[in-house]
Amino acid sequence: MTTTIYPPFTDNALLTLKKRYYQPNESTPEHLFRRVAKHIASAEKDTQEKEKWGAIFFDMMMSRKFLPSSPILFNAGTGQGCLSACFVLNPEDSLDSIYQIVKDSAMVQKSGGGVGHGLSLLRRKGALIKSTQKYALGPLGVLRILSISSKEITQGGRRSGANMAQEICSHPDIFDFIHCKDKDNGDFENFNISVQVTEDFLKRVKEDGDWDLIDPYEKKVIRTIKAKQLWTELVESAWKTGDPGIVFIDRVNETAPNPTLGPILSSNPCSEELLENYGNCCLGSITLQHFVNLKHSDYFNLVELKKTIRYAVRFLNNVIEVNEFPIPELRRINLITRRIGLGVMGW
């Protein structure tokens, strides 16, 4: 019987595993990956298949040809915590909805997930709320509440909360949104932000045309500007701070795989996944450098890559089966869509 020799771990990798990923009874990468492999393979139909796929999953991770995302490494086989990495939770224009999203986001981040929020449904700041005769916070006020909650819930955790906020380019508060990270006050340091731009808007920019800013609740034009003014401020802010990004939202919804679940209002924090409300996704990456023969650098092992892709897809599909969620609606959407994300690193 031969023993598989795996590539060594660097000192930095071992330190990171110790500080962030090991459970109290774990002290080596083997311990970590056996826990994860066994749990993910438990989705298989019988003992023989569980053992077979557990060994395959362990080998993929130990060789670093494939690695799952942090929530899987944190939580698999521990009896607690969710395995999905990416979530989208969108507040509607009511206090009940806003604070439900704050609570649900906290539960997601408690287990290590990152959350994206679409703010386009929220009425503009200062709009009168007839039921209370008070004035609306606007998207930025809601974003501040979400940011404070995210910072507090992840204090002392294994990593900081990761978030995304997106807003449509026709919202009356879009200029405040664009510039919310210009000042270095740290209010939104745990958020990426992106502006959703439409084909019509880009056409108006090109033609130096007018652009209407429309309150999503009142459905009326609040202000008309030059489209190029908005585009210029967006670009200058992105140059200054790295934010906002842009999302071609018409193309997103034209190609959405599940249009019956409603329009896409946001992505996850790093924008790999544009998700429905309460949509979520488990992630993993294939490490391309491990398919190169270092003695013959012009050789890339496509056969092994294809095999690893098949195994990685099975791994992530199994994650869906064994996943646990803090909120029933997340599980419902997860089973409807069965979203997985398989990426690459080491390019």
Side-chain angles (χ1 to χ4, degrees), residues 85-147:
C86 303
F87 297 80
V88 163
L89 305 174
N90 302 314
E92 297 179 3
D93 192 69
S94 73
L95 201 61
D96 284 346
S97 175
I98 289 167
Y99 276 93
Q100 186 65 53
I101 293 299
V102 172
K103 176 187 174 183
D104 291 349
S105 298
M107 296 302 293
V108 167
Q109 292 194 332
K110 178 183 175 183
S111 65
V115 188
H117 304 284
L119 306 179
S120 299
L121 300 180
L122 302 172
R123 72 187 82 185
R124 73 189 192 280
K125 180 181 180 181
L128 181 66
I129 303 172
K130 292 181 181 179
S131 62
T132 61
Q133 293 300 300
K134 302 292 184 182
Y135 298 97
L137 289 172
L140 217 59
V142 174
L143 182 58
R144 187 169 282 106
I145 294 170
L146 288 164
S147 179

Short mmCIF file of all heavy atoms in Angstrom, two decimals, residues 85-147:
data_model
loop_
_atom_site.label_atom_id
_atom_site.label_comp_id
_atom_site.label_asym_id
_atom_site.label_seq_id
_atom_site.Cartn_x
_atom_site.Cartn_y
_atom_site.Cartn_z
N ALA A 85 -21.59 30.56 1.52
CA ALA A 85 -20.73 31.73 1.71
C ALA A 85 -21.42 33.02 1.29
O ALA A 85 -21.11 34.09 1.80
CB ALA A 85 -19.43 31.56 0.91
N CYS A 86 -22.35 32.93 0.33
CA CYS A 86 -22.90 34.11 -0.33
C CYS A 86 -24.40 34.20 -0.12
O CYS A 86 -25.12 33.22 -0.34
CB CYS A 86 -22.62 34.06 -1.83
SG CYS A 86 -20.89 33.92 -2.23
N PHE A 87 -24.87 35.38 0.26
CA PHE A 87 -26.29 35.59 0.52
C PHE A 87 -26.71 36.96 -0.02
O PHE A 87 -25.90 37.89 -0.07
CB PHE A 87 -26.57 35.56 2.03
CG PHE A 87 -26.28 34.24 2.68
CD1 PHE A 87 -24.98 33.89 3.03
CD2 PHE A 87 -27.29 33.34 2.95
CE1 PHE A 87 -24.70 32.68 3.63
CE2 PHE A 87 -27.02 32.11 3.56
CZ PHE A 87 -25.72 31.78 3.89
N VAL A 88 -27.98 37.07 -0.37
CA VAL A 88 -28.58 38.37 -0.69
C VAL A 88 -29.87 38.50 0.10
O VAL A 88 -30.74 37.62 0.03
CB VAL A 88 -28.84 38.52 -2.20
CG1 VAL A 88 -29.81 39.67 -2.46
CG2 VAL A 88 -27.54 38.78 -2.95
N LEU A 89 -29.98 39.59 0.85
CA LEU A 89 -31.17 39.89 1.65
C LEU A 89 -31.55 41.34 1.39
O LEU A 89 -30.79 42.25 1.73
CB LEU A 89 -30.90 39.67 3.14
CG LEU A 89 -30.37 38.29 3.55
CD1 LEU A 89 -30.00 38.28 5.03
CD2 LEU A 89 -31.42 37.22 3.28
N ASN A 90 -32.72 41.56 0.79
CA ASN A 90 -33.11 42.89 0.35
C ASN A 90 -34.21 43.48 1.21
O ASN A 90 -35.30 42.88 1.31
CB ASN A 90 -33.59 42.84 -1.10
CG ASN A 90 -32.54 42.29 -2.04
OD1 ASN A 90 -31.39 42.65 -1.98
ND2 ASN A 90 -32.95 41.37 -2.91
N PRO A 91 -33.99 44.64 1.82
CA PRO A 91 -35.07 45.28 2.59
C PRO A 91 -36.11 45.90 1.68
O PRO A 91 -35.80 46.51 0.66
CB PRO A 91 -34.33 46.36 3.39
CG PRO A 91 -33.13 46.69 2.56
CD PRO A 91 -32.73 45.41 1.88
N GLU A 92 -37.37 45.73 2.05
CA GLU A 92 -38.46 46.44 1.39
C GLU A 92 -38.71 47.75 2.14
O GLU A 92 -38.10 48.02 3.18
CB GLU A 92 -39.71 45.57 1.36
CG GLU A 92 -39.52 44.30 0.54
CD GLU A 92 -40.75 43.43 0.53
OE1 GLU A 92 -41.79 43.84 1.11
OE2 GLU A 92 -40.70 42.33 -0.05
N ASP A 93 -39.63 48.56 1.62
CA ASP A 93 -39.82 49.90 2.16
C ASP A 93 -40.78 49.91 3.35
O ASP A 93 -41.88 50.45 3.28
CB ASP A 93 -40.32 50.84 1.06
CG ASP A 93 -40.26 52.29 1.51
OD1 ASP A 93 -39.14 52.82 1.66
OD2 ASP A 93 -41.33 52.89 1.74
N SER A 94 -40.37 49.25 4.43
CA SER A 94 -41.14 49.28 5.68
C SER A 94 -40.18 49.02 6.82
O SER A 94 -39.15 48.35 6.66
CB SER A 94 -42.25 48.23 5.68
OG SER A 94 -41.71 46.93 5.84
N LEU A 95 -40.52 49.55 7.99
CA LEU A 95 -39.67 49.37 9.16
C LEU A 95 -39.58 47.90 9.54
O LEU A 95 -38.50 47.40 9.92
CB LEU A 95 -40.22 50.19 10.33
CG LEU A 95 -39.23 50.51 11.46
CD1 LEU A 95 -38.07 51.34 10.93
CD2 LEU A 95 -39.95 51.24 12.60
N ASP A 96 -40.69 47.18 9.44
CA ASP A 96 -40.68 45.75 9.75
C ASP A 96 -39.68 45.01 8.87
O ASP A 96 -38.89 44.19 9.34
CB ASP A 96 -42.07 45.15 9.56
CG ASP A 96 -43.02 45.51 10.69
OD1 ASP A 96 -42.54 46.00 11.72
OD2 ASP A 96 -44.24 45.31 10.52
N SER A 97 -39.72 45.28 7.57
CA SER A 97 -38.83 44.60 6.64
C SER A 97 -37.38 44.97 6.89
O SER A 97 -36.49 44.10 6.89
CB SER A 97 -39.20 44.95 5.20
OG SER A 97 -38.27 44.39 4.29
N ILE A 98 -37.12 46.25 7.12
CA ILE A 98 -35.74 46.71 7.33
C ILE A 98 -35.12 45.99 8.52
O ILE A 98 -34.00 45.44 8.44
CB ILE A 98 -35.70 48.23 7.53
CG1 ILE A 98 -36.01 48.95 6.21
CG2 ILE A 98 -34.34 48.68 8.07
CD1 ILE A 98 -36.31 50.42 6.36
N TYR A 99 -35.84 45.94 9.64
CA TYR A 99 -35.25 45.33 10.83
C TYR A 99 -35.28 43.80 10.77
O TYR A 99 -34.46 43.15 11.44
CB TYR A 99 -35.92 45.87 12.10
CG TYR A 99 -35.28 47.18 12.50
CD1 TYR A 99 -35.80 48.39 12.07
CD2 TYR A 99 -34.12 47.20 13.25
CE1 TYR A 99 -35.20 49.60 12.40
CE2 TYR A 99 -33.50 48.39 13.59
CZ TYR A 99 -34.04 49.59 13.16
OH TYR A 99 -33.42 50.76 13.47
N GLN A 100 -36.17 43.22 9.98
CA GLN A 100 -36.10 41.78 9.75
C GLN A 100 -34.83 41.44 8.98
O GLN A 100 -34.15 40.45 9.28
CB GLN A 100 -37.32 41.30 8.97
CG GLN A 100 -37.39 39.79 8.80
CD GLN A 100 -37.58 39.06 10.11
OE1 GLN A 100 -38.49 39.38 10.87
NE2 GLN A 100 -36.70 38.11 10.41
N ILE A 101 -34.48 42.28 8.00
CA ILE A 101 -33.26 42.06 7.23
C ILE A 101 -32.03 42.26 8.11
O ILE A 101 -31.05 41.51 8.00
CB ILE A 101 -33.22 43.00 6.01
CG1 ILE A 101 -34.31 42.63 5.01
CG2 ILE A 101 -31.84 42.96 5.34
CD1 ILE A 101 -34.22 41.25 4.43
N VAL A 102 -32.07 43.25 9.00
CA VAL A 102 -30.95 43.45 9.94
C VAL A 102 -30.75 42.20 10.79
O VAL A 102 -29.62 41.70 10.95
CB VAL A 102 -31.20 44.68 10.84
CG1 VAL A 102 -30.14 44.76 11.95
CG2 VAL A 102 -31.19 45.97 10.03
N LYS A 103 -31.84 41.65 11.32
CA LYS A 103 -31.76 40.45 12.15
C LYS A 103 -31.27 39.24 11.34
O LYS A 103 -30.36 38.52 11.78
CB LYS A 103 -33.13 40.14 12.75
CG LYS A 103 -33.16 38.83 13.54
CD LYS A 103 -34.57 38.48 13.97
CE LYS A 103 -34.60 37.10 14.63
NZ LYS A 103 -35.99 36.71 14.99
N ASP A 104 -31.86 39.04 10.17
CA ASP A 104 -31.49 37.88 9.35
C ASP A 104 -30.03 37.98 8.90
O ASP A 104 -29.31 36.97 8.86
CB ASP A 104 -32.41 37.76 8.15
CG ASP A 104 -33.83 37.37 8.54
OD1 ASP A 104 -34.04 36.99 9.71
OD2 ASP A 104 -34.73 37.42 7.68
N SER A 105 -29.59 39.17 8.57
CA SER A 105 -28.19 39.36 8.16
C SER A 105 -27.25 39.04 9.31
O SER A 105 -26.18 38.44 9.10
CB SER A 105 -27.96 40.80 7.69
OG SER A 105 -28.76 41.10 6.56
N ALA A 106 -27.63 39.43 10.52
CA ALA A 106 -26.79 39.13 11.68
C ALA A 106 -26.67 37.62 11.89
O ALA A 106 -25.59 37.10 12.21
CB ALA A 106 -27.38 39.79 12.93
N MET A 107 -27.76 36.89 11.69
CA MET A 107 -27.73 35.44 11.85
C MET A 107 -26.83 34.80 10.79
O MET A 107 -26.11 33.84 11.07
CB MET A 107 -29.14 34.88 11.76
CG MET A 107 -30.06 35.34 12.87
SD MET A 107 -29.46 34.91 14.52
CE MET A 107 -29.58 33.13 14.46
N VAL A 108 -26.87 35.33 9.58
CA VAL A 108 -26.02 34.81 8.51
C VAL A 108 -24.55 35.08 8.83
O VAL A 108 -23.69 34.19 8.72
CB VAL A 108 -26.40 35.43 7.15
CG1 VAL A 108 -25.33 35.15 6.11
CG2 VAL A 108 -27.74 34.89 6.68
N GLN A 109 -24.24 36.30 9.23
CA GLN A 109 -22.84 36.66 9.48
C GLN A 109 -22.29 35.97 10.72
O GLN A 109 -21.08 35.72 10.81
CB GLN A 109 -22.71 38.17 9.58
CG GLN A 109 -22.97 38.85 8.25
CD GLN A 109 -22.53 40.29 8.22
OE1 GLN A 109 -22.50 40.98 9.23
NE2 GLN A 109 -22.19 40.77 7.03
N LYS A 110 -23.15 35.65 11.64
CA LYS A 110 -22.73 34.89 12.82
C LYS A 110 -22.10 33.56 12.43
O LYS A 110 -21.17 33.08 13.07
CB LYS A 110 -23.95 34.65 13.74
CG LYS A 110 -23.67 33.84 14.98
CD LYS A 110 -24.95 33.63 15.76
CE LYS A 110 -24.74 32.71 16.96
NZ LYS A 110 -26.02 32.45 17.67
N SER A 111 -22.59 32.98 11.31
CA SER A 111 -22.07 31.68 10.87
C SER A 111 -21.00 31.82 9.80
O SER A 111 -20.55 30.82 9.25
CB SER A 111 -23.22 30.81 10.35
OG SER A 111 -23.79 31.37 9.19
N GLY A 112 -20.57 33.05 9.49
CA GLY A 112 -19.45 33.25 8.59
C GLY A 112 -19.81 33.61 7.16
O GLY A 112 -18.92 33.68 6.31
N GLY A 113 -21.09 33.83 6.86
CA GLY A 113 -21.50 34.19 5.51
C GLY A 113 -21.40 35.68 5.24
O GLY A 113 -21.42 36.50 6.17
N GLY A 114 -21.28 36.05 3.96
CA GLY A 114 -21.30 37.44 3.56
C GLY A 114 -22.63 37.77 2.91
O GLY A 114 -23.25 36.92 2.28
N VAL A 115 -23.06 39.04 3.05
CA VAL A 115 -24.42 39.40 2.65
C VAL A 115 -24.41 40.60 1.70
O VAL A 115 -23.71 41.58 1.93
CB VAL A 115 -25.29 39.75 3.88
CG1 VAL A 115 -26.74 39.94 3.46
CG2 VAL A 115 -25.19 38.67 4.94
N GLY A 116 -25.21 40.49 0.64
CA GLY A 116 -25.46 41.61 -0.25
C GLY A 116 -26.85 42.16 -0.03
O GLY A 116 -27.79 41.41 0.29
N HIS A 117 -27.00 43.49 -0.18
CA HIS A 117 -28.29 44.14 0.04
C HIS A 117 -28.62 45.04 -1.15
O HIS A 117 -27.81 45.88 -1.54
CB HIS A 117 -28.26 45.00 1.30
CG HIS A 117 -27.87 44.27 2.54
ND1 HIS A 117 -28.74 43.43 3.21
CD2 HIS A 117 -26.71 44.25 3.24
CE1 HIS A 117 -28.12 42.92 4.27
NE2 HIS A 117 -26.90 43.40 4.31
N GLY A 118 -29.80 44.87 -1.70
CA GLY A 118 -30.31 45.79 -2.72
C GLY A 118 -31.15 46.86 -2.05
O GLY A 118 -32.12 46.56 -1.34
N LEU A 119 -30.79 48.13 -2.25
CA LEU A 119 -31.44 49.24 -1.56
C LEU A 119 -32.40 50.02 -2.45
O LEU A 119 -32.95 51.05 -2.04
CB LEU A 119 -30.38 50.19 -1.00
CG LEU A 119 -29.30 49.55 -0.10
CD1 LEU A 119 -28.31 50.60 0.35
CD2 LEU A 119 -29.93 48.86 1.10
N SER A 120 -32.62 49.54 -3.66
CA SER A 120 -33.36 50.32 -4.65
C SER A 120 -34.85 50.46 -4.35
O SER A 120 -35.52 51.32 -4.93
CB SER A 120 -33.17 49.70 -6.04
OG SER A 120 -31.80 49.71 -6.40
N LEU A 121 -35.39 49.62 -3.48
CA LEU A 121 -36.82 49.70 -3.17
C LEU A 121 -37.14 50.72 -2.09
O LEU A 121 -38.32 51.02 -1.85
CB LEU A 121 -37.33 48.32 -2.72
CG LEU A 121 -37.18 47.17 -3.72
CD1 LEU A 121 -37.74 45.89 -3.11
CD2 LEU A 121 -37.87 47.48 -5.03
N LEU A 122 -36.13 51.28 -1.44
CA LEU A 122 -36.33 52.19 -0.32
C LEU A 122 -36.60 53.61 -0.81
O LEU A 122 -35.88 54.12 -1.66
CB LEU A 122 -35.12 52.17 0.60
CG LEU A 122 -34.75 50.80 1.19
CD1 LEU A 122 -33.42 50.88 1.92
CD2 LEU A 122 -35.85 50.30 2.10
N ARG A 123 -37.61 54.25 -0.23
CA ARG A 123 -37.92 55.62 -0.64
C ARG A 123 -36.78 56.57 -0.25
O ARG A 123 -35.95 56.27 0.60
CB ARG A 123 -39.24 56.07 -0.02
CG ARG A 123 -39.19 56.35 1.47
CD ARG A 123 -40.57 56.64 2.02
NE ARG A 123 -41.29 55.40 2.30
CZ ARG A 123 -42.57 55.37 2.70
NH1 ARG A 123 -43.26 56.49 2.82
NH2 ARG A 123 -43.15 54.22 2.94
N ARG A 124 -36.75 57.72 -0.88
CA ARG A 124 -35.66 58.68 -0.71
C ARG A 124 -35.62 59.24 0.70
O ARG A 124 -36.63 59.27 1.42
CB ARG A 124 -35.81 59.83 -1.71
CG ARG A 124 -36.92 60.79 -1.39
CD ARG A 124 -37.17 61.77 -2.53
NE ARG A 124 -38.04 62.87 -2.12
CZ ARG A 124 -39.35 62.79 -2.04
NH1 ARG A 124 -39.96 61.66 -2.31
NH2 ARG A 124 -40.07 63.85 -1.66
N LYS A 125 -34.44 59.70 1.10
CA LYS A 125 -34.28 60.35 2.40
C LYS A 125 -35.14 61.61 2.47
O LYS A 125 -35.19 62.40 1.53
CB LYS A 125 -32.81 60.73 2.62
CG LYS A 125 -32.54 61.41 3.96
CD LYS A 125 -31.08 61.77 4.10
CE LYS A 125 -30.84 62.46 5.45
NZ LYS A 125 -29.42 62.84 5.62
N GLY A 126 -35.85 61.77 3.59
CA GLY A 126 -36.68 62.95 3.80
C GLY A 126 -38.09 62.84 3.29
O GLY A 126 -38.90 63.75 3.52
N ALA A 127 -38.42 61.76 2.60
CA ALA A 127 -39.80 61.57 2.14
C ALA A 127 -40.72 61.40 3.35
O ALA A 127 -40.37 60.74 4.33
CB ALA A 127 -39.90 60.37 1.22
N LEU A 128 -41.89 61.98 3.29
CA LEU A 128 -42.83 61.91 4.39
C LEU A 128 -43.43 60.51 4.51
O LEU A 128 -43.90 59.94 3.52
CB LEU A 128 -43.95 62.94 4.21
CG LEU A 128 -45.01 62.98 5.33
CD1 LEU A 128 -44.38 63.47 6.63
CD2 LEU A 128 -46.18 63.87 4.92
N ILE A 129 -43.44 59.97 5.73
CA ILE A 129 -44.09 58.70 6.01
C ILE A 129 -45.45 59.02 6.62
O ILE A 129 -45.53 59.49 7.76
CB ILE A 129 -43.24 57.83 6.96
CG1 ILE A 129 -41.85 57.60 6.37
CG2 ILE A 129 -43.93 56.50 7.24
CD1 ILE A 129 -40.88 56.92 7.31
N LYS A 130 -46.52 58.80 5.88
CA LYS A 130 -47.84 59.26 6.29
C LYS A 130 -48.30 58.62 7.60
O LYS A 130 -48.98 59.26 8.40
CB LYS A 130 -48.84 58.97 5.18
CG LYS A 130 -48.62 59.81 3.93
CD LYS A 130 -49.65 59.49 2.86
CE LYS A 130 -49.41 60.32 1.60
NZ LYS A 130 -50.39 60.00 0.53
N SER A 131 -47.95 57.34 7.80
CA SER A 131 -48.46 56.64 8.99
C SER A 131 -47.89 57.21 10.29
O SER A 131 -48.51 57.08 11.34
CB SER A 131 -48.14 55.15 8.89
OG SER A 131 -46.73 54.95 8.84
N THR A 132 -46.73 57.84 10.23
CA THR A 132 -46.09 58.37 11.45
C THR A 132 -45.87 59.87 11.40
O THR A 132 -45.49 60.47 12.40
CB THR A 132 -44.72 57.70 11.66
OG1 THR A 132 -43.86 58.00 10.54
CG2 THR A 132 -44.86 56.19 11.79
N GLN A 133 -46.07 60.46 10.21
CA GLN A 133 -45.76 61.88 10.00
C GLN A 133 -44.29 62.16 10.30
O GLN A 133 -43.92 63.27 10.71
CB GLN A 133 -46.67 62.78 10.83
CG GLN A 133 -48.13 62.74 10.39
CD GLN A 133 -48.31 63.20 8.95
OE1 GLN A 133 -47.97 64.33 8.60
NE2 GLN A 133 -48.85 62.32 8.12
N LYS A 134 -43.45 61.18 10.10
CA LYS A 134 -42.00 61.33 10.22
C LYS A 134 -41.39 61.27 8.83
O LYS A 134 -42.09 61.09 7.83
CB LYS A 134 -41.42 60.22 11.10
CG LYS A 134 -42.01 60.16 12.51
CD LYS A 134 -41.64 61.36 13.35
CE LYS A 134 -42.16 61.20 14.78
NZ LYS A 134 -41.85 62.38 15.61
N TYR A 135 -40.06 61.38 8.77
CA TYR A 135 -39.38 61.41 7.49
C TYR A 135 -38.49 60.19 7.32
O TYR A 135 -37.86 59.73 8.27
CB TYR A 135 -38.57 62.70 7.34
CG TYR A 135 -39.45 63.93 7.36
CD1 TYR A 135 -39.64 64.66 8.54
CD2 TYR A 135 -40.13 64.33 6.22
CE1 TYR A 135 -40.47 65.77 8.57
CE2 TYR A 135 -40.97 65.44 6.23
CZ TYR A 135 -41.14 66.16 7.41
OH TYR A 135 -41.96 67.24 7.43
N ALA A 136 -38.45 59.68 6.11
CA ALA A 136 -37.72 58.44 5.82
C ALA A 136 -36.21 58.62 5.98
O ALA A 136 -35.65 59.69 5.68
CB ALA A 136 -38.04 57.97 4.41
N LEU A 137 -35.56 57.54 6.42
CA LEU A 137 -34.10 57.53 6.54
C LEU A 137 -33.41 57.55 5.19
O LEU A 137 -32.31 58.08 5.05
CB LEU A 137 -33.64 56.26 7.29
CG LEU A 137 -33.93 56.15 8.77
CD1 LEU A 137 -33.58 54.75 9.25
CD2 LEU A 137 -33.12 57.19 9.53
N GLY A 138 -34.03 56.94 4.20
CA GLY A 138 -33.39 56.79 2.90
C GLY A 138 -32.43 55.61 2.90
O GLY A 138 -32.09 55.05 3.95
N PRO A 139 -31.98 55.20 1.72
CA PRO A 139 -31.09 54.05 1.61
C PRO A 139 -29.82 54.17 2.45
O PRO A 139 -29.36 53.20 3.04
CB PRO A 139 -30.75 54.00 0.12
CG PRO A 139 -31.92 54.63 -0.54
CD PRO A 139 -32.37 55.72 0.39
N LEU A 140 -29.23 55.36 2.51
CA LEU A 140 -27.98 55.52 3.25
C LEU A 140 -28.18 55.34 4.75
O LEU A 140 -27.32 54.79 5.44
CB LEU A 140 -27.36 56.88 2.95
CG LEU A 140 -25.82 56.89 2.86
CD1 LEU A 140 -25.34 55.95 1.78
CD2 LEU A 140 -25.32 58.31 2.60
N GLY A 141 -29.33 55.80 5.27
CA GLY A 141 -29.62 55.59 6.68
C GLY A 141 -29.78 54.12 7.00
O GLY A 141 -29.29 53.63 8.03
N VAL A 142 -30.46 53.39 6.12
CA VAL A 142 -30.61 51.94 6.31
C VAL A 142 -29.26 51.25 6.19
O VAL A 142 -28.93 50.33 6.96
CB VAL A 142 -31.61 51.37 5.29
CG1 VAL A 142 -31.67 49.85 5.37
CG2 VAL A 142 -33.00 51.96 5.52
N LEU A 143 -28.45 51.71 5.23
CA LEU A 143 -27.12 51.13 5.06
C LEU A 143 -26.27 51.33 6.31
O LEU A 143 -25.53 50.43 6.72
CB LEU A 143 -26.43 51.79 3.86
CG LEU A 143 -25.04 51.28 3.48
CD1 LEU A 143 -25.07 49.78 3.18
CD2 LEU A 143 -24.49 52.04 2.28
N ARG A 144 -26.41 52.47 6.96
CA ARG A 144 -25.65 52.73 8.19
C ARG A 144 -26.07 51.76 9.30
O ARG A 144 -25.22 51.25 10.05
CB ARG A 144 -25.84 54.18 8.62
CG ARG A 144 -24.96 54.59 9.79
CD ARG A 144 -24.98 56.09 10.01
NE ARG A 144 -24.13 56.78 9.04
CZ ARG A 144 -24.58 57.48 8.01
NH1 ARG A 144 -25.89 57.59 7.80
NH2 ARG A 144 -23.75 58.07 7.18
N ILE A 145 -27.36 51.49 9.41
CA ILE A 145 -27.85 50.53 10.41
C ILE A 145 -27.29 49.14 10.13
O ILE A 145 -26.82 48.45 11.05
CB ILE A 145 -29.39 50.49 10.41
CG1 ILE A 145 -29.97 51.83 10.89
CG2 ILE A 145 -29.91 49.36 11.28
CD1 ILE A 145 -31.46 51.95 10.70
N LEU A 146 -27.31 48.73 8.88
CA LEU A 146 -26.78 47.42 8.51
C LEU A 146 -25.28 47.33 8.79
O LEU A 146 -24.78 46.30 9.24
CB LEU A 146 -27.05 47.15 7.03
CG LEU A 146 -28.50 46.87 6.65
CD1 LEU A 146 -28.70 47.02 5.15
CD2 LEU A 146 -28.90 45.47 7.10
N SER A 147 -24.57 48.43 8.53
CA SER A 147 -23.13 48.44 8.76
C SER A 147 -22.79 48.33 10.24
O SER A 147 -21.90 47.57 10.63
CB SER A 147 -22.53 49.74 8.18
OG SER A 147 -21.14 49.79 8.40
#
